[in-house]
């Protein structure tokens, strides 16, 4: 009936929460040849003077010292999904996770797109699954072949 539909809508609305919009990426190889593989930068992604760049609003406690943008490798951009694993680590698109049911390892899954993320959320909410981030497509390219 109409009341049942409204209650269902309200429950669904309460489950959906806003997530922080942020990204991660590697520094551009040409601009930062020594730093490219040393880690990730986090912030807002934009194009600056025709190149992909990162406004690192949260890196090292503040903006880049001179107020400039960091050139990034666009192939490594990943958006934060709004989820954290069982250790509190943030999950980004292109991460690989281990999925656990009842505390036991089940399988390794890539989170490549919104479809993968939706499936993970369904496993968590409907089946009590947990997950742990295992790696990503850039630091661990060998996982591309091993993912189910």
């Amino acid at each position: 009936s109409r009341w049942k539909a409204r209650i269902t809508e309200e429950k669904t609305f309460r489950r959906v929460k806003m997530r922080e919009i942020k990204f991660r990426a590697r520094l551009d190889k040409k601009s930062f040849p020594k730093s490219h593989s040393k880690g990730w930068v986090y912030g807002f992604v934009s194009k600056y003077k025709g190149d992909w760049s990162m406004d690192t609003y949260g890196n090292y406690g503040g903006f880049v010292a001179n107020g400039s943008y960091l050139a990034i490798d666009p192939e490594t951009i990943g958006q934060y999904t709004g989820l954290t694993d069982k250790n509190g680590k943030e999950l980004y698109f292109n991460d690989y996770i281990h999925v656990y049911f009842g505390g036991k390892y089940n399988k390794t899954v890539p989170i490549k797109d919104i479809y993968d993320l939706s499936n993970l959320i369904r496993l968590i909410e409907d089946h009590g699954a947990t997950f742990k981030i295992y790696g990503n497509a850039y630091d661990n390219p060998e996982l591309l072949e091993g993912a189910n």
Side-chain angles (χ1 to χ4, degrees):
S1 80
R2 192 172 81 178
W3 287 106
K4 186 175 183 180
R6 184 173 177 176
I7 290 169
T8 302
E9 284 177 20
E10 287 177 8
K11 285 182 180 178
T12 302
F13 180 73
R14 281 186 292 226
R15 284 185 6 199
V16 176
K17 66 177 187 174
M18 295 297 292
R19 63 185 163 103
E20 182 178 9
I21 304 298
K22 65 180 174 179
F23 298 85
R24 73 171 180 199
R26 292 255 187 231
L27 295 171
D28 180 59
K29 289 180 187 178
K30 294 176 192 167
S31 303
F32 302 95
K34 294 180 182 176
S35 302
H36 172 74
S37 63
K38 293 191 178 183
W40 298 91
V41 290
Y42 298 82
F44 295 112
V45 173
S46 63
K47 279 209 167 183
Y48 182 72
K49 295 184 179 179
D51 294 321
W52 286 100
S53 61
M54 182 78 67
D55 177 353
T56 57
Y57 65 91
N59 268 7
Y60 316 112
F63 287 90
V64 178
N66 64 4
S68 66
Y69 291 79
L70 296 172
I72 57 172
D73 178 354
E75 297 295 317
T76 64
I77 296 171
Q79 186 174 2
Y80 176 50
T81 64
L83 298 179
T84 55
D85 73 1
K86 62 184 190 173
N87 297 323
K89 188 174 179 184
E90 294 177 340
L91 178 66
Y92 287 81
F93 285 106
N94 294 312
D95 278 346
Y96 286 83
I97 61 172
H98 283 166
V99 178
Y100 298 86
F101 290 101
K104 294 183 181 180
Y105 168 76
N106 183 268
K107 64 181 175 177
T108 300
V109 178
I111 304 298
K112 299 177 298 223
D113 53 32
I114 197 71
Y115 177 78
D116 295 333
L117 182 61
S118 297
N119 285 335
L120 175 61
I121 291 169
R122 187 174 302 119
L123 290 174
I124 293 168
E125 290 183 353
D126 295 347
H127 304 288
T130 59
F131 70 95
K132 180 179 176 186
I133 297 169
Y134 182 64
N136 63 66
Y138 314 108
D139 293 335
N140 314 96
E142 70 278 2
L143 296 177
L144 291 170
E145 293 93 36
N148 301 2

